[in-house]
C-alpha cells in the first residue's frame, strides 16, 4: 500500500493507526492512538438517539456497495423500546466480491477499530449483542478478531454494565460457510439462523423482523470503522474531507487490481478521479498494455471504458455515468483480454453462486454461460447475441427475487454495449457462409 499523502487522523481516519510493518495493532497500541476514546465519550455523555442523529447528520453512507445512509438505516429501527426488548446488530464481513479485499485489510490491520465501531453502533440502536458474519476463507482474520474481542472483554468494554454506563453488550464471531449470496442481508440472517441462505421476501424488513424475528440492523465492516472518527472529530470535519469534490462525506477505501504496476487499496476522499487512482497510486498499466475497460467496484458492476477515467469516484457520479461505485475496488481490463472470455468467467461465478430460489436467476445465468462459451469457441449461432440481450432484460431489476441476477448481468450488458463486435465475432463462420449464400439466392 502506497501513501502519497502523509497519513494523519484528520485525512486518513481509517488507516492512520496502521503499522508500517503490516502487523495488527493490538489493544495497548490502539489505545495509545486514541483508540476507544469515542465509545467512552458516548457512554458518558450521549444518549442513544443523539448518536443516531449524529451519524444521520454526518451523511455516512454504507460502504458495502449499496450506499444507503447509515443513520437513516438506524432510524428505521422501531422507536418504542422497553427494558428486555431484544435487538441485534450484524456486522457483514462476508466479503466475497471477486477482487475485493478492503474489509479484510481493515480487519487484519485494525481489529480493534471494528470492535469500537460495533460498540458505538450497538449502543446507538440499543442492541443486546452483535454477530460478526465473517467470510469462511478469512482464517487469519478470525484469529485476530477473537483476540481483539477477548482483549476488549478483559478491560470491561464488552460485557455487563460497560464502564458503569448500564449498557450491556456482547460480540460473537460467526464464520460463514462460503456463499456469495450471504452478502444479501436477509440471506445472511437465514444462514446465521442455520437455514438455507436464500433471501427473504421484503417487507417485513430486518429493521422490524430480522434475526430470530427481532429488530436487526446489518452494517458493513468499513461502514462501522468510520464511526469512531465521526464521534471524535464531529460532522463538520467529516463532511469537509472531500474538499467539496463530492457530495459524499468522509473517505473511502479505493483500489485497482489487474495488470497494473502497483495493485492495491488506498484510503482516499470521495471525489478522487479514477485516473488519479490508476495512474498516481496504482502506477498505471504494465508496460506494453493499454487500458481497454474497467469495472469501478467489483465483478457485479458495469464496465467503463478509457473515456470514463476522469469521472470522480463517488456514489452519484459513477451511477450517472452508467455503473455503480460498489466496493470502489476497481479492476482493469487490458487490450490483450477477450471481453467474451472475461464475461464468461464472471457469469460462471454468478451462476455457481446463485441460491437457485427464483427461476430467472437459477436457469437464466447458466444459459448465459452456455451461450458465451459457444461465442468464445467461435461456434455461436446467429441469434445468440440477440438472446443474450433478451436475457439481460429478463434478469434485470424487479424481475428476480433479489439483486443477485440484476448485478450479474451488469458486466454482460455493458460489455455488449461497448464491445459488441467481439461477441459477433463468436458466430460460427459456417453460419455466416450459409447466411451469405442465402442472401445471394
Amino acid at each position: 500500500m502506497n501513501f502519497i499523502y502523509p497519513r494523519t487522523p484528520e485525512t486518513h481516519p481509517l488507516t492512520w493507526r496502521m503499522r508500517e510493518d503490516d502487523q495488527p495493532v493490538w489493544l495497548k497500541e490502539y489505545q495509545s492512538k486514541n483508540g476507544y476514546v469515542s465509545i467512552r465519550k458516548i457512554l458518558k455523555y450521549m444518549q442513544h438517539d443523539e448518536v443516531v442523529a449524529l451519524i444521520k447528520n454526518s451523511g455516512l453512507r454504507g460502504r458495502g456497495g449499496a450506499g444507503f445512509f447509515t443513520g437513516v438505516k438506524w432510524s428505521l429501527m422501531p422507536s418504542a423500546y422497553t427494558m428486555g426488548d431484544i435487538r441485534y446488530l450484524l456486522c457483514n464481513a462476508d466479503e466475497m466480491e471477486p477482487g475485493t479485499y478492503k474489509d479484510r485489510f481493515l480487519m487484519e490491520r485494525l481489529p480493534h477499530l471494528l470492535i469500537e465501531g460495533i460498540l458505538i453502533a450497538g449502543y446507538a440502536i440499543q442492541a443486546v449483542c452483535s454477530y460478526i458474519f465473517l467470510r469462511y476463507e478469512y482464517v487469519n482474520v478470525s484469529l485476530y478478531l477473537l483476540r481483539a474481542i477477548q482483549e476488549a472483554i478483559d478491560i470491561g468494554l464488552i460485557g455487563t454494565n460497560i464502564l458503569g454506563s448500564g449498557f450491556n453488550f456482547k460480540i460473537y464471531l460467526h464464520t460463514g460457510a462460503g456463499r456469495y449470496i450471504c452478502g444479501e442481508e436477509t440471506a445472511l440472517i437465514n444462514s446465521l439462523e442455520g437455514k438455507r441462505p436464500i433471501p427473504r421476501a421484503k417487507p417485513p424488513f430486518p429493521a422490524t423482523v430480522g434475526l430470530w424475528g427481532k429488530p436487526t440492523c446489518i452494517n458493513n465492516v468499513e461502514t462501522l470503522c468510520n464511526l469512531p472518527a465521526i464521534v471524535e472529530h464531529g460532522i463538520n470535519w467529516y463532511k469537509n474531507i472531500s474538499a467539496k469534490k463530492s457530495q459524499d462525506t468522509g473517505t473511502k477505501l479505493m483500489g485497482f487490481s489487474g495488470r497494473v504496476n502497483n495493485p492495491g487499496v488506498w484510503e482516499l476522499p470521495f471525489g478522487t478521479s479514477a485516473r488519479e487512482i490508476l495512474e498516481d497510486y496504482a502506477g498505471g498499466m504494465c508496460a506494453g498494455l493499454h487500458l481497454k475497460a474497467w469495472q469501478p467496484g467489483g465483478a457485479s458492476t458495469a464496465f467503463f471504458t478509457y473515456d470514463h477515467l476522469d469521472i470522480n469516484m463517488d456514489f452519484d457520479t459513477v451511477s450517472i455515468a452508467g455503473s455503480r461505485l460498489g466496493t470502489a475496488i476497481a479492476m482493469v481490463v487490458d487490450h490483450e483480454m477477450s471481453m467474451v472470455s472475461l464475461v464468461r468467467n464472471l457469469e460462471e461465478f454468478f451462476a455457481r453462486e446463485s441460491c437457485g430460489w427464483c427461476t430467472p436467476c437459477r436457469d437464466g445465468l447458466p444459459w448465459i454461460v452456455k451461450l458465451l462459451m459457444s461465442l468464445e469457441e467461435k461456434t455461436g449461432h446467429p441469434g445468440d447475441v440477440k438472446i443474450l440481450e433478451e436475457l439481460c432484460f429478463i434478469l434485470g431489476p424487479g424481475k428476480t427475487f433479489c439483486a443477485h441476477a440484476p448485478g450479474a448481468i451488469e458486466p454482460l450488458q455493458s460489455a455488449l454495449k461497448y464491445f459488441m463486435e467481439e461477441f459477433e465475432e463468436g458466430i460460427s463462420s459456417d453460419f455466416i457462409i450459409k447466411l451469405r449464400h442465402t442472401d445471394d439466392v
Side-chain angles (χ1 to χ4, degrees):
M1 180 176 181
N2 289 338
F3 300 103
I4 292 184
Y5 302 107
R7 286 180 297 156
T8 68
E10 291 76 23
T11 59
H12 294 72
L14 294 174
T15 58
W16 73 272
R17 295 183 177 92
M18 289 184 179
R19 299 166 59 99
E20 295 299 331
D21 61 4
D22 296 342
Q23 293 301 305
V25 174
W26 297 116
L27 179 64
K28 185 177 180 181
E29 183 178 359
Y30 184 69
Q31 288 184 303
S32 71
K33 297 177 176 176
N34 288 347
Y36 292 116
V37 167
S38 297
I39 183 62
R40 293 177 188 277
K41 176 181 176 181
I42 68 166
L43 289 179
K44 190 171 184 180
Y45 298 110
M46 299 180 72
Q47 298 297 314
H48 309 286
D49 55 352
E50 290 178 318
V51 182
V52 174
L54 176 75
I55 301 305
K56 198 172 181 178
N57 293 331
S58 75
L60 172 64
R61 300 179 72 163
R63 305 300 201 239
F68 195 75
F69 288 96
T70 303
V72 174
K73 192 172 190 178
W74 289 0
S75 66
L76 296 177
M77 302 284 282
S79 56
Y81 182 86
T82 58
M83 292 299 293
D85 284 353
I86 295 176
R87 299 173 179 216
Y88 295 110
L89 171 68
L90 305 185
C91 171
N92 187 349
D94 192 49
E95 187 176 47
M96 282 197 66
E97 191 70 24
T100 297
Y101 40 89
K102 65 180 184 63
D103 293 342
R104 187 188 75 183
F105 180 64
L106 286 171
M107 292 186 288
E108 283 184 340
R109 307 284 289 275
L110 286 167
H112 279 286
L113 181 64
L114 176 60
I115 300 301
E116 185 172 11
I118 289 174
L119 286 166
I120 293 170
Y123 177 79
I125 65 170
Q126 303 178 71
V128 296
C129 73
S130 174
Y131 291 89
I132 303 173
F133 192 99
L134 182 67
R135 177 178 171 176
Y136 174 77
E137 291 84 356
Y138 286 179
V139 178
N140 286 339
V141 173
S142 69
L143 299 175
Y144 295 164
L145 288 175
L146 286 172
R147 173 173 168 175
I149 291 170
Q150 187 58 53
E151 286 183 337
I153 291 173
D154 292 343
I155 60 171
L157 284 171
I158 297 175
T160 303
N161 191 26
I162 297 172
L163 303 179
S165 65
F167 175 49
N168 306 318
F169 192 72
K170 295 181 179 178
I171 299 178
Y172 301 99
L173 179 65
H174 176 89
T175 301
R179 291 310 305 268
Y180 181 79
I181 195 63
C182 289
E184 202 280 340
E185 57 185 19
T186 59
L188 185 154
I189 290 173
N190 273 341
S191 178
L192 196 55
E193 291 180 352
K195 301 173 183 173
R196 179 180 167 186
I198 55 175
R200 295 178 179 179
K202 292 179 281 190
F205 293 93
T208 51
V209 181
L211 184 64
W212 294 302
K214 301 298 182 182
T216 302
C217 182
I218 302 99
N219 288 137
N220 166 262
V221 169
E222 187 184 351
T223 308
L224 293 164
C225 287
N226 271 268
L227 302 179
I230 297 173
V231 173
E232 183 178 0
H233 300 296
I235 59 176
N236 289 333
W237 159 79
Y238 193 72
K239 286 182 173 180
N240 289 311
I241 291 182
S242 66
K244 299 182 179 179
K245 291 193 295 184
S246 171
Q247 294 296 315
D248 293 329
T249 59
T251 59
K252 177 82 184 74
L253 293 183
M254 304 185 197
F256 260 100
S257 63
R259 295 207 277 184
V260 295
N261 287 308
N262 184 36
V265 57
W266 303 273
E267 183 181 8
L268 298 167
F270 279 108
T272 304
S273 74
R275 182 184 298 279
E276 185 179 351
I277 303 171
L278 175 61
E279 296 180 354
D280 296 344
Y281 290 84
M285 301 295 293
C286 292
L289 298 178
H290 305 294
L291 179 67
K292 177 178 179 179
W294 57 287
Q295 287 181 295
S300 63
T301 56
F303 286 104
F304 279 148
T305 67
Y306 180 88
D307 294 336
H308 295 97
L309 263 188
D310 290 313
I311 66 168
N312 290 340
M313 292 290 281
D314 62 40
F315 288 102
D316 294 340
T317 304
V318 174
S319 177
I320 292 170
S323 187
R324 290 183 297 111
L325 183 66
T327 62
I329 307 298
M331 181 188 74
V332 300
V333 182
D334 61 73
H335 75 283
E336 293 183 348
M337 299 177 70
S338 161
M339 293 304 295
V340 176
S341 298
L342 174 58
V343 175
R344 187 268 306 155
N345 187 35
L346 293 175
E347 298 304 331
E348 275 190 339
F349 169 80
F350 289 120
R352 185 176 66 244
E353 292 298 331
S354 170
C355 75
W357 185 245
C358 63
T359 303
C361 185
R362 182 185 62 242
D363 293 346
L365 291 175
W367 191 4
I368 287 174
V369 172
K370 185 177 180 181
L371 291 169
L372 290 172
M373 290 178 69
S374 295
L375 295 175
E376 190 179 16
E377 296 165 357
K378 310 295 184 187
T379 58
H381 290 63
D384 285 354
V385 174
K386 181 65 175 176
I387 295 173
L388 285 174
E389 291 178 322
E390 292 173 353
L391 284 169
C392 286
F393 174 77
I394 294 170
L395 273 67
K399 301 180 181 68
T400 57
F401 200 75
C402 75
H404 180 81
I409 56 95
E410 281 194 32
L412 171 61
Q413 203 164 25
S414 54
L416 289 168
K417 177 181 178 181
Y418 295 119
F419 305 98
M420 175 61 83
E421 69 281 1
E422 293 192 30
F423 291 85
E424 292 177 336
E425 288 172 0
I427 304 298
S428 169
S429 57
D430 293 340
F431 288 110
I432 294 175
I433 292 172
K434 288 179 182 178
L435 285 172
R436 286 175 179 167
H437 177 70
T438 303
D439 290 342
D440 291 341
V441 172

